[in-house]
Amino acid sequence: AAHPNVTFDFRTLHYDEVARGLYGHEVDMALAYDAIHLPRIANFQIGSGELMMVFPRGEMGENAPDRIDLKELETRDYVGSGSTGPVSEIFSREVERRGLTIREPITSSTFYMSASLVRHGVGVAVVDEFTARSEITDLVEFRPLEPPLRFGVFCMHLEDRPLSQLAERFVATMAEVLAEQSGQAALEA
């Protein structure tokens, strides 16, 4: 709204495509759930998030607990994200650490699709909190996990292609929005 004449191309890339997009000059910057530590890629944290369990309203009883133990996944159909990347790895490590056996009859390619399938009654899913918040309806609830599984949100660009002033303002706005969504103070960009 502050810059009505500015346009930009917004793309969703899987985590493993981000570096290729930056190196190939296909994108000027990337926002991702973890920093990519490769030569020539600069990164800085602009926020953080937490993994949430998304489930059909009433699935956890009338008064769902404030936090849901991952062990609950052993008794429900789980809609997996099938995606690779840092957030999926956080979840997978915790499942493995706890020795949980999860029934995963369906897998989708993104957290958004997993949450959408939950809305249609397919099962429960574990997604990032921003996806969970976007899916909340009278059909779906979400809760953070116990123990909490957190991740960082980072901005990345090529070191030799610094962000423009306009891009810096966009990133600062994103940091504010992320902080509002998660109830945290915005990180300085």
Side-chain angles (χ1 to χ4, degrees):
H3 304 281
N5 296 325
V6 173
T7 61
F8 61 95
D9 181 16
F10 186 81
R11 298 180 192 177
T12 301
L13 301 174
H14 287 280
Y15 191 76
D16 57 352
E17 298 170 317
V18 172
R20 186 173 48 245
L22 289 168
Y23 285 144
H25 300 268
E26 297 168 24
V27 297
D28 295 322
M29 73 170 137
L31 302 177
Y33 293 155
D34 200 6
I36 294 176
H37 299 286
L38 290 173
R40 296 182 42 230
I41 295 180
N43 63 72
F44 54 94
Q45 189 168 356
I46 65 168
S48 64
E50 189 171 348
L51 290 178
M52 304 279 179
M53 185 180 295
V54 180
F55 51 92
R57 189 165 298 282
E59 174 87 10
M60 301 293 170
E62 286 298 312
N63 297 311
D66 291 342
R67 289 191 168 271
I68 297 182
D69 192 309
L70 271 181
K71 191 154 183 64
E72 289 290 330
L73 292 177
E74 290 189 313
T75 62
R76 292 172 167 74
D77 285 338
Y78 177 67
V79 180
S81 69
S83 64
T84 58
V87 175
S88 293
E89 290 171 14
I90 291 168
F91 172 75
S92 296
R93 276 194 307 267
E94 184 64 15
V95 166
E96 185 176 317
R97 183 188 76 77
R98 296 193 50 198
L100 301 176
T101 302
I102 299 175
R103 193 173 53 246
E104 191 173 327
I106 189 166
T107 303
S108 69
S109 63
T110 66
F111 291 134
Y112 175 79
M113 287 176 63
S114 294
S116 180
L117 288 167
V118 170
R119 186 169 20 95
H120 291 287
V122 174
V124 301
V126 173
V127 300
D128 65 277
E129 72 177 272
F130 309 108
T131 300
R133 292 178 196 288
S134 72
E135 282 296 311
I136 194 70
T137 67
D138 58 344
L139 302 175
V140 176
E141 295 182 72
F142 69 90
R143 296 288 190 283
L145 299 171
E146 182 60 47
L149 298 177
R150 300 197 62 74
F151 57 89
V153 180
F154 289 80
C155 177
M156 291 164 280
H157 62 89
L158 291 178
E159 290 174 345
D160 58 356
R161 293 185 68 179
L163 298 178
S164 68
Q165 289 180 348
L166 189 60
E168 286 177 352
R169 286 195 294 273
F170 172 77
V171 170
T173 299
M174 282 298 301
E176 290 171 13
V177 169
L178 292 172
E180 286 173 15
Q181 288 289 308
S182 63
Q184 301 172 6
L187 296 174
E188 293 294 323

